[in-house]
Amino acid sequence: MITCTPRGICSTDYVLRSDEREALVTFRSLSEQGAIALGESEYEIHKDSILKSHWRLERQGKTVAEAYKPSMWKEGLVVEVAGAEIGVQKTGFWSTSVQLVLADQVVAEIRKVHAFTNRAVIEGRTDELPFEVVCFAFWLVSAMWKRAAAAAST
C-alpha cells in the first residue's frame, strides 16, 4: 500500500510513501503541470497544450511516460510507458476511486480515504509498475479531483 498525504491542510501537493520509497508530487500554480521528486531523481510533468489532454513525464529532458485522453466522449486516461498501456479508469460514474488497468487486469486502485479528506491510498500490485509511473498516475488522478472540486464550487 502507498499512502498519499497532502503537505498541508489546503495543499494539492502530496507525499507518497510505500514501505521502501517516498516521493513528493507537486503541482505548478495555475497550470496542469507539475513535478515528482523521487529520491535523487527529479521528474517534470508537462502538458502539451491547453486544448489537448496530453501530458508527458520527463526526466532530464527524456520522455519516461505519456498520458492522454483517448476520446473526448469517455472518461479515463491511457498512460504509455515502455511500450505498455495502462488504463486509468474511474470505478463508477459517481466514484472518485480510480483503477490502474494493465493488460485487462486491475493492477491497483487509487482512492480517497473518505469523502471529507484529501488523503488517499494506492492499493494493489503496485510493484508491477515503476514507482515513478504510479506517482505519475496519482498526479493525473489528483488533477482530475482538482478539476471536479473546481467545477463543483462554481
CSV table of all heavy atoms in Angstrom, one decimal, residues 42-78:
chain,number,residue,atom,x,y,z
A,42,GLU,N,14.6,13.8,-10.3
A,42,GLU,CA,13.6,14.8,-10.5
A,42,GLU,C,12.9,14.5,-11.8
A,42,GLU,O,13.5,14.3,-12.8
A,42,GLU,CB,14.2,16.2,-10.6
A,42,GLU,CG,14.5,16.8,-9.2
A,42,GLU,CD,13.3,17.3,-8.5
A,42,GLU,OE1,12.3,17.7,-9.1
A,42,GLU,OE2,13.4,17.3,-7.2
A,43,TYR,N,11.6,14.5,-11.8
A,43,TYR,CA,10.7,14.3,-13.0
A,43,TYR,C,9.9,15.5,-13.2
A,43,TYR,O,9.3,16.0,-12.2
A,43,TYR,CB,9.9,13.0,-12.8
A,43,TYR,CG,10.6,11.7,-12.7
A,43,TYR,CD1,11.1,11.3,-11.5
A,43,TYR,CD2,10.9,10.9,-13.8
A,43,TYR,CE1,11.8,10.1,-11.4
A,43,TYR,CE2,11.6,9.7,-13.7
A,43,TYR,CZ,12.0,9.3,-12.5
A,43,TYR,OH,12.7,8.1,-12.4
A,44,GLU,N,9.7,15.9,-14.4
A,44,GLU,CA,8.9,17.0,-14.7
A,44,GLU,C,7.6,16.5,-15.5
A,44,GLU,O,7.7,15.6,-16.3
A,44,GLU,CB,9.6,18.0,-15.7
A,44,GLU,CG,10.7,18.7,-15.0
A,44,GLU,CD,10.3,19.8,-14.0
A,44,GLU,OE1,9.3,20.4,-14.2
A,44,GLU,OE2,11.0,19.9,-13.0
A,45,ILE,N,6.5,17.1,-15.2
A,45,ILE,CA,5.2,16.8,-15.9
A,45,ILE,C,4.8,18.0,-16.7
A,45,ILE,O,4.7,19.1,-16.1
A,45,ILE,CB,4.1,16.4,-14.9
A,45,ILE,CG1,4.6,15.2,-14.0
A,45,ILE,CG2,2.8,16.1,-15.6
A,45,ILE,CD1,3.7,14.9,-12.8
A,46,HIS,N,4.7,17.8,-18.0
A,46,HIS,CA,4.4,18.9,-18.9
A,46,HIS,C,3.1,18.6,-19.6
A,46,HIS,O,2.8,17.4,-20.0
A,46,HIS,CB,5.5,19.1,-20.0
A,46,HIS,CG,6.8,19.4,-19.4
A,46,HIS,ND1,7.1,20.7,-19.0
A,46,HIS,CD2,7.9,18.6,-19.2
A,46,HIS,CE1,8.4,20.7,-18.5
A,46,HIS,NE2,8.8,19.4,-18.6
A,47,LYS,N,2.2,19.6,-19.8
A,47,LYS,CA,1.0,19.4,-20.6
A,47,LYS,C,1.3,20.1,-21.9
A,47,LYS,O,1.8,21.2,-22.0
A,47,LYS,CB,-0.2,20.1,-19.9
A,47,LYS,CG,-1.4,19.8,-20.7
A,47,LYS,CD,-2.7,20.3,-19.9
A,47,LYS,CE,-3.9,19.9,-20.7
A,47,LYS,NZ,-5.1,20.3,-20.1
A,48,ASP,N,1.1,19.4,-23.0
A,48,ASP,CA,1.4,19.9,-24.4
A,48,ASP,C,0.7,21.1,-24.8
A,48,ASP,O,1.2,22.0,-25.4
A,48,ASP,CB,1.2,18.8,-25.4
A,48,ASP,CG,2.3,17.7,-25.3
A,48,ASP,OD1,3.3,17.9,-24.6
A,48,ASP,OD2,2.1,16.6,-25.8
A,49,SER,N,-0.6,21.2,-24.4
A,49,SER,CA,-1.4,22.3,-24.9
A,49,SER,C,-2.6,22.5,-24.0
A,49,SER,O,-3.1,21.5,-23.4
A,49,SER,CB,-1.9,22.0,-26.3
A,49,SER,OG,-3.0,22.8,-26.7
A,50,ILE,N,-3.1,23.7,-23.9
A,50,ILE,CA,-4.3,23.9,-23.1
A,50,ILE,C,-5.5,23.2,-23.7
A,50,ILE,O,-6.4,22.7,-22.9
A,50,ILE,CB,-4.7,25.4,-23.0
A,50,ILE,CG1,-3.6,26.2,-22.3
A,50,ILE,CG2,-6.0,25.7,-22.4
A,50,ILE,CD1,-3.7,27.7,-22.3
A,51,LEU,N,-5.5,23.0,-25.0
A,51,LEU,CA,-6.7,22.4,-25.6
A,51,LEU,C,-6.6,20.9,-25.7
A,51,LEU,O,-7.6,20.2,-25.9
A,51,LEU,CB,-6.8,22.9,-27.1
A,51,LEU,CG,-7.0,24.4,-27.2
A,51,LEU,CD1,-7.0,24.9,-28.6
A,51,LEU,CD2,-8.2,24.9,-26.5
A,52,LYS,N,-5.4,20.3,-25.5
A,52,LYS,CA,-5.3,18.8,-25.6
A,52,LYS,C,-5.0,18.2,-24.2
A,52,LYS,O,-4.3,18.8,-23.4
A,52,LYS,CB,-4.1,18.5,-26.5
A,52,LYS,CG,-4.3,18.8,-27.9
A,52,LYS,CD,-3.1,18.7,-28.7
A,52,LYS,CE,-2.6,17.3,-28.9
A,52,LYS,NZ,-1.4,17.3,-29.8
A,53,SER,N,-5.7,17.1,-24.0
A,53,SER,CA,-5.4,16.3,-22.7
A,53,SER,C,-4.3,15.4,-23.0
A,53,SER,O,-4.5,14.2,-23.2
A,53,SER,CB,-6.7,15.6,-22.3
A,53,SER,OG,-7.7,16.5,-22.0
A,54,HIS,N,-3.1,15.9,-22.9
A,54,HIS,CA,-1.9,15.1,-23.2
A,54,HIS,C,-0.8,15.6,-22.3
A,54,HIS,O,-0.4,16.8,-22.4
A,54,HIS,CB,-1.5,15.2,-24.7
A,54,HIS,CG,-0.4,14.3,-25.1
A,54,HIS,ND1,0.9,14.6,-25.0
A,54,HIS,CD2,-0.4,13.0,-25.5
A,54,HIS,CE1,1.7,13.6,-25.4
A,54,HIS,NE2,0.9,12.6,-25.7
A,55,TRP,N,-0.2,14.7,-21.5
A,55,TRP,CA,0.9,15.0,-20.6
A,55,TRP,C,2.1,14.1,-20.8
A,55,TRP,O,1.9,13.0,-21.2
A,55,TRP,CB,0.4,14.8,-19.1
A,55,TRP,CG,-0.7,15.7,-18.7
A,55,TRP,CD1,-0.6,16.9,-18.1
A,55,TRP,CD2,-2.1,15.4,-18.9
A,55,TRP,NE1,-1.9,17.4,-17.8
A,55,TRP,CE2,-2.8,16.5,-18.3
A,55,TRP,CE3,-2.9,14.4,-19.4
A,55,TRP,CZ2,-4.2,16.6,-18.3
A,55,TRP,CZ3,-4.2,14.4,-19.4
A,55,TRP,CH2,-4.9,15.6,-18.8
A,56,ARG,N,3.2,14.7,-20.5
A,56,ARG,CA,4.5,13.9,-20.6
A,56,ARG,C,5.2,13.9,-19.3
A,56,ARG,O,5.3,15.0,-18.6
A,56,ARG,CB,5.4,14.5,-21.7
A,56,ARG,CG,5.0,14.3,-23.1
A,56,ARG,CD,5.8,15.0,-24.1
A,56,ARG,NE,5.6,16.5,-24.0
A,56,ARG,CZ,6.4,17.4,-23.6
A,56,ARG,NH1,7.6,17.1,-23.2
A,56,ARG,NH2,6.1,18.7,-23.6
A,57,LEU,N,5.7,12.8,-18.8
A,57,LEU,CA,6.6,12.6,-17.7
A,57,LEU,C,8.0,12.6,-18.2
A,57,LEU,O,8.3,11.7,-19.0
A,57,LEU,CB,6.2,11.4,-16.9
A,57,LEU,CG,7.1,11.1,-15.6
A,57,LEU,CD1,6.9,12.2,-14.6
A,57,LEU,CD2,6.8,9.8,-15.0
A,58,GLU,N,8.8,13.5,-17.8
A,58,GLU,CA,10.2,13.6,-18.4
A,58,GLU,C,11.2,13.6,-17.2
A,58,GLU,O,11.0,14.1,-16.1
A,58,GLU,CB,10.4,14.9,-19.2
A,58,GLU,CG,9.6,14.9,-20.4
A,58,GLU,CD,9.8,16.2,-21.2
A,58,GLU,OE1,10.5,17.1,-20.7
A,58,GLU,OE2,9.4,16.2,-22.4
A,59,ARG,N,12.3,13.0,-17.5
A,59,ARG,CA,13.5,13.0,-16.6
A,59,ARG,C,14.7,13.4,-17.5
A,59,ARG,O,15.0,12.8,-18.5
A,59,ARG,CB,13.7,11.7,-16.0
A,59,ARG,CG,14.9,11.7,-15.0
A,59,ARG,CD,15.0,10.4,-14.2
A,59,ARG,NE,16.0,10.6,-13.3
A,59,ARG,CZ,17.1,9.7,-13.2
A,59,ARG,NH1,17.2,8.7,-14.0
A,59,ARG,NH2,18.1,9.9,-12.4
A,60,GLN,N,15.3,14.5,-17.1
A,60,GLN,CA,16.5,15.0,-17.8
A,60,GLN,C,16.2,15.2,-19.3
A,60,GLN,O,17.0,14.9,-20.1
A,60,GLN,CB,17.7,14.1,-17.6
A,60,GLN,CG,18.1,14.0,-16.1
A,60,GLN,CD,19.2,13.1,-15.9
A,60,GLN,OE1,19.5,12.2,-16.7
A,60,GLN,NE2,19.9,13.2,-14.7
A,61,GLY,N,15.0,15.7,-19.6
A,61,GLY,CA,14.6,16.1,-20.9
A,61,GLY,C,14.2,14.9,-21.8
A,61,GLY,O,13.8,15.1,-22.9
A,62,LYS,N,14.2,13.7,-21.2
A,62,LYS,CA,13.7,12.5,-22.0
A,62,LYS,C,12.4,12.0,-21.5
A,62,LYS,O,12.2,12.0,-20.2
A,62,LYS,CB,14.8,11.4,-21.9
A,62,LYS,CG,16.1,11.7,-22.5
A,62,LYS,CD,17.0,10.5,-22.5
A,62,LYS,CE,18.3,11.0,-23.2
A,62,LYS,NZ,19.3,9.9,-23.1
A,63,THR,N,11.5,11.7,-22.4
A,63,THR,CA,10.2,11.2,-22.0
A,63,THR,C,10.2,9.8,-21.4
A,63,THR,O,10.7,8.9,-22.0
A,63,THR,CB,9.2,11.3,-23.2
A,63,THR,OG1,9.2,12.6,-23.7
A,63,THR,CG2,7.8,10.8,-22.8
A,64,VAL,N,9.7,9.7,-20.2
A,64,VAL,CA,9.6,8.4,-19.5
A,64,VAL,C,8.2,7.8,-19.7
A,64,VAL,O,8.1,6.6,-19.9
A,64,VAL,CB,9.8,8.6,-18.0
A,64,VAL,CG1,9.6,7.3,-17.2
A,64,VAL,CG2,11.2,9.2,-17.7
A,65,ALA,N,7.2,8.6,-19.7
A,65,ALA,CA,5.8,8.1,-19.9
A,65,ALA,C,5.0,9.3,-20.5
A,65,ALA,O,5.3,10.4,-20.4
A,65,ALA,CB,5.2,7.6,-18.6
A,66,GLU,N,3.9,8.9,-21.2
A,66,GLU,CA,3.0,9.8,-21.7
A,66,GLU,C,1.6,9.4,-21.3
A,66,GLU,O,1.3,8.2,-21.1
A,66,GLU,CB,3.0,9.9,-23.2
A,66,GLU,CG,4.3,10.4,-23.8
A,66,GLU,CD,4.3,10.5,-25.3
A,66,GLU,OE1,3.7,11.5,-25.8
A,66,GLU,OE2,4.9,9.6,-25.9
A,67,ALA,N,0.7,10.4,-21.1
A,67,ALA,CA,-0.7,10.1,-20.8
A,67,ALA,C,-1.6,11.0,-21.7
A,67,ALA,O,-1.2,12.1,-22.0
A,67,ALA,CB,-1.0,10.5,-19.3
A,68,TYR,N,-2.7,10.4,-22.1
A,68,TYR,CA,-3.6,11.1,-22.9
A,68,TYR,C,-5.0,10.6,-22.7
A,68,TYR,O,-5.2,9.5,-22.2
A,68,TYR,CB,-3.2,11.0,-24.4
A,68,TYR,CG,-3.2,9.6,-24.9
A,68,TYR,CD1,-4.3,9.0,-25.5
A,68,TYR,CD2,-2.1,8.8,-24.8
A,68,TYR,CE1,-4.3,7.7,-26.0
A,68,TYR,CE2,-2.0,7.5,-25.3
A,68,TYR,CZ,-3.2,7.0,-25.9
A,68,TYR,OH,-3.2,5.7,-26.3
A,69,LYS,N,-6.0,11.4,-23.1
A,69,LYS,CA,-7.4,11.0,-23.1
A,69,LYS,C,-7.7,10.5,-24.4
A,69,LYS,O,-7.6,11.2,-25.4
A,69,LYS,CB,-8.2,12.2,-22.7
A,69,LYS,CG,-9.7,11.9,-22.4
A,69,LYS,CD,-10.4,13.1,-21.9
A,69,LYS,CE,-11.8,12.6,-21.7
A,69,LYS,NZ,-12.5,13.3,-20.7
A,70,PRO,N,-8.0,9.2,-24.5
A,70,PRO,CA,-8.2,8.6,-25.8
A,70,PRO,C,-9.5,9.1,-26.6
A,70,PRO,O,-9.5,9.0,-27.8
A,70,PRO,CB,-8.4,7.1,-25.5
A,70,PRO,CG,-8.8,7.0,-24.1
A,70,PRO,CD,-8.2,8.2,-23.5
A,71,SER,N,-10.5,9.6,-25.9
A,71,SER,CA,-11.7,10.1,-26.5
A,71,SER,C,-12.3,11.2,-25.7
A,71,SER,O,-12.3,11.1,-24.5
A,71,SER,CB,-12.7,8.9,-26.6
A,71,SER,OG,-14.0,9.4,-27.0
A,72,MET,N,-12.8,12.2,-26.4
A,72,MET,CA,-13.4,13.3,-25.6
A,72,MET,C,-14.8,12.8,-25.1
A,72,MET,O,-15.3,13.5,-24.2
A,72,MET,CB,-13.5,14.5,-26.5
A,72,MET,CG,-14.5,14.4,-27.6
A,72,MET,SD,-14.6,15.9,-28.6
A,72,MET,CE,-15.4,17.0,-27.6
A,73,TRP,N,-15.3,11.7,-25.5
A,73,TRP,CA,-16.6,11.2,-25.1
A,73,TRP,C,-16.5,10.3,-23.9
A,73,TRP,O,-17.5,9.9,-23.3
A,73,TRP,CB,-17.3,10.6,-26.2
A,73,TRP,CG,-17.4,11.4,-27.4
A,73,TRP,CD1,-16.7,11.2,-28.6
A,73,TRP,CD2,-18.1,12.7,-27.6
A,73,TRP,NE1,-17.0,12.3,-29.5
A,73,TRP,CE2,-17.8,13.2,-28.9
A,73,TRP,CE3,-18.9,13.4,-26.7
A,73,TRP,CZ2,-18.3,14.4,-29.3
A,73,TRP,CZ3,-19.4,14.6,-27.2
A,73,TRP,CH2,-19.1,15.1,-28.5
A,74,LYS,N,-15.3,9.8,-23.6
A,74,LYS,CA,-15.2,8.8,-22.5
A,74,LYS,C,-14.3,9.4,-21.4
A,74,LYS,O,-13.4,10.2,-21.6
A,74,LYS,CB,-14.5,7.6,-23.0
A,74,LYS,CG,-15.3,6.7,-23.9
A,74,LYS,CD,-14.5,5.5,-24.3
A,74,LYS,CE,-15.3,4.6,-25.3
A,74,LYS,NZ,-14.5,3.5,-25.7
A,75,GLU,N,-14.6,9.0,-20.1
A,75,GLU,CA,-13.7,9.4,-19.0
A,75,GLU,C,-12.6,8.4,-19.0
A,75,GLU,O,-12.7,7.3,-19.5
A,75,GLU,CB,-14.5,9.3,-17.7
A,75,GLU,CG,-15.5,10.5,-17.6
A,75,GLU,CD,-15.9,10.7,-16.2
A,75,GLU,OE1,-15.0,11.1,-15.4
A,75,GLU,OE2,-17.1,10.5,-15.8
A,76,GLY,N,-11.5,8.8,-18.4
A,76,GLY,CA,-10.4,7.9,-18.2
A,76,GLY,C,-9.2,8.4,-19.1
A,76,GLY,O,-9.4,9.2,-20.0
A,77,LEU,N,-8.1,7.9,-18.8
A,77,LEU,CA,-6.8,8.2,-19.5
A,77,LEU,C,-6.1,6.9,-19.8
A,77,LEU,O,-6.4,5.9,-19.2
A,77,LEU,CB,-6.0,9.1,-18.6
A,77,LEU,CG,-6.5,10.4,-18.2
A,77,LEU,CD1,-5.7,11.0,-17.1
A,77,LEU,CD2,-6.6,11.4,-19.3
A,78,VAL,N,-5.1,7.1,-20.7
A,78,VAL,CA,-4.2,6.0,-21.0
A,78,VAL,C,-2.8,6.5,-20.7
A,78,VAL,O,-2.4,7.6,-21.2
A,78,VAL,CB,-4.3,5.5,-22.5
A,78,VAL,CG1,-3.2,4.5,-22.8
A,78,VAL,CG2,-5.7,4.9,-22.7
